Amino acid sequence: MRMDAMAAAFDALADDYDDAHHDAVARALIEAARPAPGALVADVACGTGAVALALARARPATAAPVLAIDLSPAMVARGRERGAGLPVDWRVGDAVPLPVPDASLDAVLCASSLHFLGAAAPADWRRALRPGGRVGFTLPPADHFRPSGTFAALVAGDLPLPRTPADAVALAHAAGFTDATATLVDTGTRPTIVTTAVRP
């Protein structure tokens, strides 16, 4: 029931979701995670695909498509429109668990969505990543996050938002990742904490 409500809530936003903030978050996340040009990458809870599209535009023609998955059909449809002709494997579905074999990905990136996915997501990312693979995610700082209406009820209760980059590093380490780093980034509209870590 919660997943149905979340899909409906994000479906309603799809036509107006693309904005400078999401593009800035995507750029900051990719810059921090630095996936190799030919890496097998998943953009988890991709929305309209800001991360997937930025990666796809920079990939060599021979590289595998970026996996972009979201439970909102309208978001995925909008992403397909934006990225027509780019190497992106668009899928509508629940992002947890990811529809990939164990230890099959080089990088998992998640922009502005982990607080809706909850604690099960990082555990699944560890499963999906190869040893040495990188995870990257962004979260709003707790003091700057004020969800309202439907979205307040959809925030996962089992994953506390970080107040500082150090909190985000601790979150990554608690999920079993190593070598975590986190930075507070000002996108020009609102801040976000960008975190990367390694799957041991």
Side-chain angles (χ1 to χ4, degrees), residues 111-161:
S112 308
S113 298
L114 177 54
H115 47 300
F116 295 111
L117 299 176
D124 186 58
W125 300 343
R126 280 196 68 207
R127 173 199 66 79
L129 282 166
R130 295 171 177 159
R134 294 186 67 80
V135 66
F137 58 87
T138 73
L139 284 167
D143 293 342
H144 293 266
F145 188 58
R146 299 289 181 270
S148 59
T150 302
F151 292 95
L154 295 175
V155 175
D158 63 351
L159 193 144
L161 288 175

Side-chain angles (χ1 to χ4, degrees), residues 31-169:
E31 177 65 23
R34 294 185 178 277
L40 295 176
V41 183
D43 178 6
V44 178
C46 65
T48 59
V51 169
L53 295 175
L55 286 172
R57 290 185 185 106
R59 292 171 84 76
T62 56
V66 178
L67 171 61
I69 185 166
D70 198 282
L71 53 71
S72 163
M75 288 282 189
V76 171
R78 177 68 181 136
R80 279 198 182 101
E81 291 174 6
R82 295 178 71 198
L86 290 174
V88 179
D89 177 8
W90 299 100
R91 300 195 201 178
V92 176
D94 192 348
V96 182
L98 280 170
V100 299
D102 295 357
S104 62
L105 296 175
D106 299 307
V108 171
L109 304 181
C110 181
S112 308
S113 298
L114 177 54
H115 47 300
F116 295 111
L117 299 176
D124 186 58
W125 300 343
R126 280 196 68 207
R127 173 199 66 79
L129 282 166
R130 295 171 177 159
R134 294 186 67 80
V135 66
F137 58 87
T138 73
L139 284 167
D143 293 342
H144 293 266
F145 188 58
R146 299 289 181 270
S148 59
T150 302
F151 292 95
L154 295 175
V155 175
D158 63 351
L159 193 144
L161 288 175
R163 294 187 180 278
T164 67
D167 291 343
V169 167

